[in-house]
Amino acid sequence: MNRIFGRGKPKGPPPNLTDCIGTVDSRAESIDKKIARLDAELMKYKEQMKKMRDGPSKNMVKQKAMRVLKQKRMYEGQRDQLMQQSFNMEQANYTIQTLKDTKTTVDAMKIGAKEMKKAYKNVKIDQIEDLQDQLEDMMEDASEIQEALSRSYGTPEIDEDDLEAELDALGDELLMDDDTSYLDEASTAPSIPEGVPGEKGTNRDGVLVDEFGLPQIPAT
């Protein structure tokens, strides 16, 4: 039977919008190149007509330019149709891809909901509340233990008035320790003698001194 009727050709993969869009775009680009060549030809005829006088020759060039312009208009219409087809297929392709992404998102959400249900089955709210109560009781017990351990034993009772009086006295003693009046006395003491013994002069304070650096006694 195969020898008589032959074998059917294997079916190729079905066309997809992405390939169709690429094919249509390539055709539109090819037409754009043709339109560019016609534009260059029209410019050449236009320049020729500017330099020619009215007559049969100029009319012949004009007829050629009109024929080229008609071809350009035809190619422009074909290009516009192809661009519109490409745009429509792109919109359809975008819609299909959006629907696929939506389906994937919904499937993922369903799986997530199932996983959450399984997880919630292992969580008992009553057990969590009991655990929280146990933790709160243990924290209170720990606080009571710390308070009991920090309790003082055998501490004599002290009058607060006596403590305030002692505190005031302690402040006066600290003020006395901070007294620096003795430094003022040291600053007013005579300066150290300067110069060589035997010479007379004045010290740093401008007082006349003898050869030993001692203040001179004014003569009476």
Side-chain angles (χ1 to χ4, degrees):
M1 297 294 291
N2 291 333
R3 292 179 181 178
I4 297 174
F5 298 101
R7 294 181 179 180
K9 295 182 180 180
K11 294 182 179 180
N16 57 74
L17 287 176
T18 303
D19 294 338
C20 292
I21 292 171
T23 302
V24 172
D25 288 340
S26 63
R27 290 175 60 189
E29 291 176 359
S30 177
I31 292 176
D32 280 332
K33 293 179 181 179
K34 292 180 180 179
I35 293 174
R37 287 197 298 268
L38 293 176
D39 284 333
E41 190 174 354
L42 283 173
M43 292 299 297
K44 182 181 68 173
Y45 290 148
K46 187 175 180 181
E47 292 296 328
Q48 290 179 1
M49 291 172 62
K50 286 181 180 179
K51 299 176 182 179
M52 297 176 66
R53 296 179 180 179
D54 293 339
S57 299
K58 186 175 182 180
N59 291 333
M60 185 182 300
V61 175
K62 185 177 180 180
Q63 291 297 326
K64 291 181 180 179
M66 294 293 292
R67 186 175 63 253
V68 172
L69 184 59
K70 289 179 181 179
Q71 292 178 1
K72 178 185 174 183
R73 295 286 179 86
M74 181 185 64
Y75 283 137
E76 286 177 347
Q78 294 176 0
R79 181 195 59 186
D80 293 341
Q81 290 178 357
L82 292 174
M83 292 179 64
Q84 186 62 42
Q85 292 176 12
S86 177
F87 176 76
N88 293 337
M89 287 188 292
E90 286 179 353
Q91 293 298 313
N93 193 20
Y94 175 78
T95 303
I96 293 172
Q97 189 61 42
T98 302
L99 292 174
K100 290 181 179 179
D101 295 339
T102 303
K103 183 179 181 302
T104 303
T105 303
V106 172
D107 293 340
M109 293 176 66
K110 290 180 180 179
I111 294 173
K114 291 180 180 179
E115 295 295 331
M116 290 177 65
K117 289 180 180 179
K118 292 180 181 179
Y120 274 122
K121 289 180 180 180
N122 298 326
V123 177
K124 304 297 182 182
I125 297 179
D126 296 336
Q127 294 178 357
I128 295 175
E129 291 180 352
D130 294 339
L131 180 61
Q132 289 290 91
D133 294 337
Q134 292 176 10
L135 291 174
E136 185 177 0
D137 294 338
M138 286 189 290
M139 293 297 293
E140 291 179 357
D141 294 339
S143 298
E144 292 177 359
I145 292 172
Q146 293 297 325
E147 183 178 357
L149 291 175
S150 61
R151 187 180 304 166
S152 59
Y153 301 96
T155 303
E157 295 183 0
I158 301 174
D159 190 2
E160 292 185 359
D161 294 336
D162 294 340
L163 290 176
E164 291 181 0
E166 184 176 353
L167 182 62
D168 294 338
L170 181 61
D172 295 338
E173 291 176 0
L174 292 176
L175 291 175
M176 291 178 65
D177 293 340
D178 294 338
D179 188 10
T180 59
S181 60
Y182 64 90
L183 296 177
D184 297 335
E185 296 177 358
S187 63
T188 57
S191 59
I192 300 173
E194 296 179 353
V196 180
E199 294 181 357
K200 295 182 180 181
T202 58
N203 58 11
R204 293 179 180 177
D205 298 330
V207 180
L208 294 173
V209 295
D210 56 11
E211 62 273 13
F212 299 103
L214 299 176
Q216 286 186 356
I217 300 174
T220 55

